[in-house]
Every structure is written in structure tokens, then in C-alpha cells.
Amino acid sequence: MHKSFFILAIETSCDDTSIALVKCGGSLKTPKFQAVANLVSSQIAVHRPFGGVVPNLAKREHLKNLPIILKKISKSYKLKTISYVAVTVGPGLEPALWTGVNFAKELARKLKKPLIGVNHMEGHIYSNWLSVQKNKKSVSLKKSTHYALRTTRPIRFPAIALIVSGGHTILLKMSGIAKWEKLGETLDDATGEAFDKVAKMLGLPYPGGPEIQKIALRGNAEAVKFPRPMLNQKNYNFSFSGLKTSVLYYLRDHKDSFDKQNFKADVAASFQQAVVDVLTGKTFRAAREFGVKSVMLSGGVSANKPLRDAMEEKAKELGIDFFAPEFEFIADNAGMIAAAAYIGILSKKKKLPIEAQSELTV
Ligand code: KG4
Ligand code: ZN
């Protein structure tokens, strides 16, 4: 039996400032996480005029927001009762990472608690195990709407994990909760980055993923035959830069249609469908090849409904369990960082140095 304890985690790798308090317990086979607080302060409005994240502005906002969020949490919870402080050390934007690292160092020193450095990508993987504690004491800055898909079924191994975010696209084969092998990754743009760049071409604001999904609802996904890069190659790597260029050329060649009704929606829907086909095709080819019991999706792009739906359907067809994070744990948040810290403690993972490591990999 593992006694449960609290981890206070800090996440500042990109443009979300987040602090979470998570009750962690259970074994590596059945870890249990309850996020009693998972506060996220989004900087979208600050970066939007620049069409993307500006690292020094992100740093300024993190510096401003971290003490505010911590104060909010300490009003409801005694920070003295926590057992560990955890912080994202990478990958991410270097100035942004340092603000979290320095804040966490100071806090751990004040509270006299050990500090754990966490890999952000591992946080995304473990976001699939998190749930919100539903009692009146839980604090949240964001309203959370839950996807019906989420259940408390245990995640069985072996499993395939696809992490799709603004900076990464990684496919892993997991033989256990803390054991994996990288099967492939993107050779150029990350999936979220491709969504953001295509959105920009269509005149949509940053971040582009949710905007593309929204306008694609009115479009025809078969209107434009965009390429499905690397779908039929026998490796597990991805490439989205060619697809993005195809959209650019298509828009250039159809300038006169730009303001026609449904033109943008058709392009968005067709682009989105190409991405969904590639991600689903390659993930489930791996799932079949390695005979896995589960497929799990995570990272910011896992908010994409057509992607979740396509993966869920394919999993059903093949008799594989499918998992995607609860809404609150999809985008960058500190709850997932606490979960990764706990798994790191139980699996006696090699400690990461407490310093910003912008290029850290899984
Ligand atoms: O994981 P995340 O919050 O931050 C990083 O670690 O990068 O991912 C952010 C990315 C952005 O590129 C955003 O456009 C994309 O996730 N995203 C989406 C959707 N919601 C967010 N992409 C497609 N469809 C969505 N609904
Ligand atoms: Zn992320």
C-alpha cells in the first residue's frame, strides 16, 4: 500500500502559467490522482496580437501570475502539508522555463520540501490518469466541461501513446507506465504548429487549432485533396511542413475564391481531415503491429474533436481501449506535472537537474 500525499506542481514552459495541488496515491499499476486545484492563467490575449508566443512577454506574464495563483491556492490549502514541490524543467521556451524553475526553488526552500524536476512531455503522457476532485473545496480558474469519453477504466499495457502539441508530435510504445520506446516523431513542424500556421494563412487568430476546428464544422472535408504526408511509409515518423505548403499553394492559386462562402471552411476541414488521417493511420498501424491493449492521445491537439472521434472509432473497430485526457488536463497545466513527478518517485527515475532544459526529449 502506498500512502497518498500531496504534490504542489508548477508549469511555465510556454504561454500558460499554472500551479496545481494534486493528491497522489496508489501503486505504479494503479496510480490515483486527484487534482484538488489546477489553476491555469492563459496568456492568449497577450500573445494574440503577435500571432504567436513571444518568449519575453511569456516570462513577464509568468513572473506576474505565479505569486497570484499561489496565493489563491494557499487561501484554501495549507501548503505546509505538501510532501514535494515539482516543476517543469523542459522542453519549452528557455526564459519561460526559468521563471518556473526559480519560483519553485524559492518555494521549496521556504517550505523545506524536496524539489523534483519534471519533463513536460511526460506530463502530457500522464494527463490521461488525472481527474478533478469534485467537491466544493476544489478551486479552478477555468470552467471545465468534461468529455463523455473519459472513464476510470485502468489503462492496460502494452500501449501506444501519441503526444500532439504545439511543439511536438511523438509516438511511443509503452510496455509499462514508466517504460517506453520512441517509435517516431515529426521531422519538421509539430501538429499544433501546422494548425497554427494554416490558421494564420486563413486569417484566423492564434492559437489556430480551435479556430480551424470551429470553422471546419461548416466545411466539406473532401473539398480539397490535400496530401497525407508519410502515411504510407513504413516508419513511424511524421511530417507536416509539406501539407502546410500545399495549403499555402492552394490558397495562392485560388485567391479569387478567398471570400466566397464556405471557401475557408472547406480548406480548414480538408486540412484537418488530412491531419486526422495521418495521425490515426500511423498510430493504429503501430497499435496493430505491436498488438497493444490501449491507445492514448495527449497534448494540446488532443482537444480536437474529429481527431478524438476518429481514434475512438478505430479503437472500437480493433477492440483496443482508447484514452484521451479530461478537458481540464489537455492543454498545458501543472496537474499533469504533479502526476509525472509522482510516477517518477515510484519508478525511481533518474533525477533531472533543476535548470531550464529547452531541448529536453522523452
Ligand atoms: O500542449 P499544448 O497546450 O502546448 C504545448 O506544449 O505546445 O498545445 C498547444 C497546441 C497549439 O498549437 C494549439 O493550436 C493546439 O494545441 N490545439 C488544437 C486544438 N486546441 C489546441 N489543435 C487542433 N484542434 C484543437 N481543438
Ligand atoms: Zn504542452
Side-chain angles (χ1 to χ4, degrees):
M1 260 306 275
H2 291 267
K3 230 179 125 221
S4 55
F5 53 82
F6 284 91
I7 297 182
L8 184 96
I10 295 163
E11 155 67 39
T12 62
S13 67
C14 192
D15 61 339
D16 286 308
T17 318
S18 179
I19 304 182
L21 186 64
V22 180
K23 190 177 177 189
C24 308
S27 64
L28 278 178
K29 269 225 158 77
T30 50
K32 289 189 178 67
F33 301 109
Q34 278 183 321
V36 293
N38 187 29
L39 272 54
V40 183
S41 171
S42 163
Q43 303 176 5
I44 286 178
V46 175
H47 300 286
R48 193 163 254 184
F50 303 93
V53 181
V54 184
N56 276 325
L57 282 184
K59 175 183 163 176
R60 188 192 73 189
E61 291 301 301
H62 289 316
L63 283 171
K64 190 179 84 194
N65 292 325
L66 281 168
I68 299 173
I69 302 178
L70 186 70
K71 200 164 173 195
K72 214 166 183 154
I73 293 184
S74 63
K75 269 192 187 147
S76 311
Y77 300 96
K78 285 196 189 76
L79 296 187
K80 274 199 185 114
T81 61
I82 66 156
S83 297
Y84 294 88
V85 177
V87 65
T88 301
V89 292
L93 304 169
E94 182 130 358
L97 286 165
W98 272 119
T99 58
V101 167
N102 288 332
F103 188 81
K105 269 186 178 168
E106 180 61 18
L107 183 65
R109 197 185 56 77
K110 265 197 205 146
L111 296 172
K112 297 192 180 65
K113 303 292 174 189
L115 177 59
I116 303 173
V118 175
N119 183 325
H120 180 83
M121 304 318 289
E122 291 182 19
H124 277 304
I125 298 173
Y126 299 120
S127 63
N128 266 299
W129 276 262
L130 281 159
S131 67
V132 182
Q133 178 168 328
K134 291 184 187 77
N135 70 15
K136 55 181 184 315
K137 233 189 155 191
S138 76
V139 247
S140 187
L141 282 184
K142 269 187 186 170
K143 235 173 87 191
S144 59
T145 20
H146 295 275
Y147 281 82
L149 182 69
R150 176 73 202 183
T151 72
T152 48
R153 289 171 297 167
I155 298 177
R156 298 182 301 152
F157 293 96
I160 294 289
L162 175 69
I163 316 168
V164 271
S165 70
H168 297 83
T169 301
I170 301 174
L171 196 65
L172 301 176
K173 179 173 80 138
M174 299 180 75
S175 55
I177 193 164
K179 265 195 217 133
W180 60 76
E181 177 194 329
K182 196 190 278 181
L183 295 177
E185 62 193 319
T186 182
L187 303 178
D188 40 59
D189 290 355
T191 318
E193 192 181 353
F195 268 98
D196 295 339
K197 287 177 176 168
V198 167
K200 208 171 195 174
M201 293 176 206
L202 292 172
L204 300 169
Y206 175 86
E211 301 291 330
I212 297 235
Q213 176 177 326
K214 198 157 76 192
I215 70 159
L217 284 174
R218 290 184 281 110
N220 171 8
E222 285 166 25
V224 191
K225 281 269 158 283
F226 287 126
R228 268 65 176 157
M230 300 183 79
L231 177 57
N232 296 315
Q233 287 186 19
K234 283 214 156 42
N235 57 51
Y236 290 115
N237 288 326
F238 302 91
S239 163
F240 293 106
S241 148
L243 171 59
K244 173 194 70 187
T245 311
S246 298
V247 178
L248 182 73
Y249 289 164
Y250 186 83
L251 294 178
R252 188 193 59 189
D253 297 343
H254 295 80
K255 264 201 194 106
D256 298 342
S257 311
F258 209 81
D259 293 321
K260 278 200 186 129
Q261 210 194 357
N262 280 354
F263 174 78
K264 281 198 220 172
D266 284 347
V267 172
S270 302
F271 160 77
Q272 179 175 253
Q273 191 58 50
V275 174
V276 169
D277 287 352
V278 171
L279 293 176
T280 308
K282 291 205 112 158
T283 301
F284 283 89
R285 174 147 24 96
R288 271 201 305 260
E289 182 179 334
F290 299 107
V292 300
K293 295 193 169 92
S294 315
V295 163
M296 71 189 103
L297 179 66
S298 64
V301 182
S302 70
N304 190 269
K305 178 106 174 36
L307 177 63
R308 290 170 86 113
D309 288 350
M311 290 210 160
E312 194 189 7
E313 199 180 308
K314 192 75 195 163
K316 240 187 220 151
E317 192 186 308
L318 298 174
I320 295 171
D321 291 342
F322 174 67
F323 299 89
E326 274 185 18
F327 185 78
E328 179 153 347
F329 304 106
I330 295 175
D332 291 347
N333 67 91
M336 68 186 198
I337 301 306
Y342 183 69
I343 299 295
I345 295 167
L346 291 199
S347 61
K348 300 191 169 53
K349 194 182 150 67
K350 195 170 159 253
K351 289 197 171 72
L352 290 170
I354 308 294
E355 59 189 30
Q357 299 155 65
S358 56
E359 303 294 328
L360 194 63
T361 55
V362 281

